[in-house]
Amino acid sequence: MLNTGKLAGKVIYVTGGSRGIGLSMALKAAKDGAKIVIAAKTAEPHPKLPGTIYTAAKEIEAAGGAALPCLVDVRDEGAVQDSIEQAVKHFGGLDILINNASAINLTGTQETSMKKFDLMHQINTRGTYLVSKCALPYLKESAKKGRNPHILNNSPPLSMKPRWFRDHVAYTMAKYGMSMCVLGMSEEFKKDGIAVNAIWPRTAIMTAAMVMLGGGNEIAAQCRTPDIMSDAAYVILTRDSKSFTGNFCVDEKILREEGLTDFTKYLAVPGTKEEDLMPDFFLDEFLEVEQQNLVERQTEAVKSKESAAPVSSGGGSADIQKVFNQIQPILSEDIVKKTNAVFAFSIPDDKSEWFLDMKNGAGSCGSGAPPQKADVTFTLKTADFSKMFAGKLKPTTAFMTGKLKISGNMGKAMALEKLMGKMQKRSYSTSVPERWSPISKL
């Protein structure tokens, strides 16, 4: 998506803009010659995450824009107000606000501490509301000058489907709070000519935060780059603020509206098939795929009952034991230290329980209950268990398509893919018959 120059001279305030999607959006605007305020709380290098407000400012200037790095915690009302006033004084106004700062913790109710609950709500919902409130007087001035003011929140379409609340209700509430700001403020500010919209990715986006969350570099093959979000944001921010407001936009759909049909340039790993990309949360279109998979699995189950032929040479616990026999040699104190999680596996069709302890000592695995409370419990069929560890079925894809149920810490669940990647590099294989290959993919 080429730059058109429409953001030249525009003053854009970006929260959480020192890295990832926020920085990508800032750099896209900088190519037009926009003036960017980087409002984030990273002034010193993070041990795991790249980028500070100062390195981001240098990148923005190198891309052709002007930059003002501001040390801001969006939970601090005084800091937010001061930074916006500083931006207006430095650049002469404020035209666009991008509420990108967000906190994530994908855990169930019992596993979510109130500290994490408060953090997500203070940054996601309250932070978005606060920054929008402080920026509003200056956005109104921008509207009076005909400078096409926008607020853009990085938040999902609102949906009351229980599926999006079931596994991480605290995070969903906090993220939907950002979306509710879009719903309410777009109507409230419409008379002022200020657009308020949301943007959300259709697929997972590969960022350093994704790696730290537990996905590891191995997950890149299921992701797109932040560039697709920044290109989509550019389209939104250059549309007429008086007519394009109150929309919950999905990156791919916005770009298709502009005539783009080839999205291969956004692949985090070139050559990845589009259908192998991991769908993001909160998009109801994927619930239809999940339902389709359920029907296909039920049909497969009926057929298997009608057939007298055995489905595998070993079957049930024997196949699962084979997997754990190959996991054991890979375990080490180093892997345990990096993973720091206990996984439990419930196999309903085999009526068996298994565990993988990657929290204690050099790690251990086997049948039965784990030696201590599991951080994550996976529920899936024997065949899907074997396919996951053989690399034929990605856990994230299995989860989104309903083949895998996860309870507990979702972040820790993502870390399991790192171990699977190591197994696949060691040419791990199972005796799962070819006809057990996935019926459909996303």
Side-chain angles (χ1 to χ4, degrees):
M1 182 61 62
L2 297 176
N3 283 62
T4 61
K6 292 181 179 179
L7 294 183
K10 295 294 179 69
V11 181
I12 305 176
Y13 186 104
V14 186
T15 68
S18 61
R19 62 177 68 92
I21 293 172
L23 177 57
S24 182
M25 290 180 177
L27 291 173
K28 179 69 175 180
K31 293 177 182 178
D32 269 6
K35 302 171 182 178
I36 313 294
V37 183
I38 298 298
K41 60 180 183 178
T42 305
E44 298 295 330
H46 190 281
K48 295 183 179 180
L49 297 174
T52 68
I53 56 174
Y54 304 111
T55 59
K58 289 181 179 179
E59 289 186 57
I60 288 166
E61 291 168 350
L68 177 64
C70 292
L71 186 62
V72 179
D73 183 336
V74 296
R75 296 173 292 179
D76 185 334
E77 183 176 0
V80 170
Q81 186 66 57
D82 289 346
S83 67
I84 287 181
E85 291 177 0
Q86 183 183 352
V88 171
K89 182 178 180 180
H90 186 80
F91 287 132
L94 180 62
D95 303 302
I96 294 171
L97 166 62
I98 299 177
N99 285 308
N100 173 72
S102 187
I104 181 172
N105 193 56
L106 299 174
T107 51
T109 301
Q110 192 66 53
E111 295 80 17
T112 304
S113 68
M114 291 314 298
K115 181 178 180 180
K116 290 289 180 65
F117 180 97
D118 291 341
L119 177 70
M120 288 189 287
H121 282 75
Q122 288 168 0
I123 293 177
N124 300 4
T125 304
R126 185 180 183 276
T128 295
Y129 186 93
L130 171 61
V131 181
S132 301
K133 172 183 169 67
C134 293
L136 182 57
Y138 304 104
L139 293 174
K140 287 182 177 180
E141 287 299 315
S142 176
K144 291 177 182 178
K145 297 175 182 178
R147 291 178 61 82
N148 202 40
H150 279 260
I151 295 176
L152 181 62
N153 295 353
N154 187 352
S155 63
L158 288 167
S159 171
M160 289 295 103
K161 297 292 178 63
R163 175 68 175 77
W164 305 126
F165 294 83
R166 182 188 69 195
D167 299 309
H168 37 70
V169 63
Y171 173 65
T172 299
M173 289 166 63
K175 206 64 184 173
Y176 276 7
M178 298 177 69
S179 300
M180 291 173 74
C181 285
V182 172
L183 190 65
M185 292 179 183
S186 62
E187 285 297 307
E188 182 182 357
F189 305 159
K190 185 180 291 185
K191 65 182 184 300
D192 300 305
I194 301 170
V196 186
N197 295 291
I199 185 171
W200 193 247
R202 183 177 181 274
T203 70
I205 302 297
M206 190 61 197
T207 63
M210 175 73 83
V211 176
M212 192 181 76
L213 186 63
N217 290 313
E218 295 86 354
I219 207 170
Q222 302 173 62
C223 301
R224 285 172 171 164
T225 67
D227 290 345
I228 189 170
M229 286 287 281
S230 57
D231 280 359
Y234 185 88
V235 171
I236 295 168
L237 296 174
T238 54
R239 288 185 175 178
D240 183 7
S241 64
K242 294 179 181 179
S243 58
F244 192 78
T245 187
N247 300 286
F248 292 95
C249 306
V250 176
D251 56 1
E252 182 178 316
K253 291 181 179 179
I254 281 289
L255 294 176
R256 286 189 183 278
E257 289 175 7
E258 296 296 308
L260 188 65
T261 57
D262 184 0
F263 295 87
T264 56
K265 67 178 180 179
Y266 298 119
L267 295 173
V269 177
T272 300
K273 294 180 180 179
E274 290 285 333
E275 60 265 30
D276 288 339
L277 294 173
M278 178 172 63
D280 209 337
F281 295 125
F282 305 120
L283 299 180
D284 287 349
E285 62 180 283
F286 292 114
L287 294 182
E288 297 174 6
V289 177
E290 186 176 87
Q291 181 62 33
Q292 179 183 350
N293 272 270
L294 175 60
V295 173
E296 290 173 338
R297 291 198 306 277
Q298 290 174 337
T299 302
E300 185 183 48
V302 171
K303 288 182 178 179
S304 66
K305 288 180 180 179
E306 294 175 348
S307 174
V311 296
S312 71
S313 57
S317 296
D319 286 339
I320 298 173
Q321 185 62 60
K322 179 178 178 181
V323 173
F324 281 113
N325 288 343
Q326 297 203 35
I327 291 177
Q328 188 63 58
I330 300 174
L331 298 179
S332 67
E333 291 185 3
D334 183 55
I335 292 178
V336 167
K337 183 178 180 181
K338 291 179 180 178
T339 307
N340 191 34
V342 175
F343 304 104
F345 302 88
S346 177
I347 316 296
D349 61 318
D350 187 54
K351 297 182 180 179
S352 62
E353 304 289 332
W354 302 78
F355 73 90
L356 175 56
D357 181 359
M358 299 184 70
K359 181 179 282 187
N360 302 293
S364 62
C365 59
S367 62
Q372 67 181 79
K373 182 180 178 182
D375 295 286
V376 192
T377 297
F378 301 90
T379 302
L380 70 169
K381 292 182 178 180
T382 305
D384 291 330
F385 179 93
S386 299
K387 284 187 289 186
M388 276 207 322
F389 279 90
K392 297 178 181 178
L393 178 65
K394 295 180 175 65
T396 43
T397 302
F399 173 70
M400 292 302 296
T401 55
K403 293 183 178 182
L404 169 67
K405 292 183 179 180
I406 302 175
S407 60
N409 190 320
M410 293 286 288
K412 293 292 185 183
M414 292 177 67
L416 188 61
E417 289 200 36
K418 292 183 179 180
L419 177 65
M420 295 178 183
K422 291 181 180 292
M423 291 185 68
Q424 289 146 31
K425 289 177 182 178
R426 290 167 62 105
S427 300
Y428 166 77
S429 63
T430 72
S431 59
V432 179
E434 186 63 31
R435 74 184 188 89
W436 277 6
S437 60
I439 297 173
S440 63
K441 298 178 180 178
L442 284 178

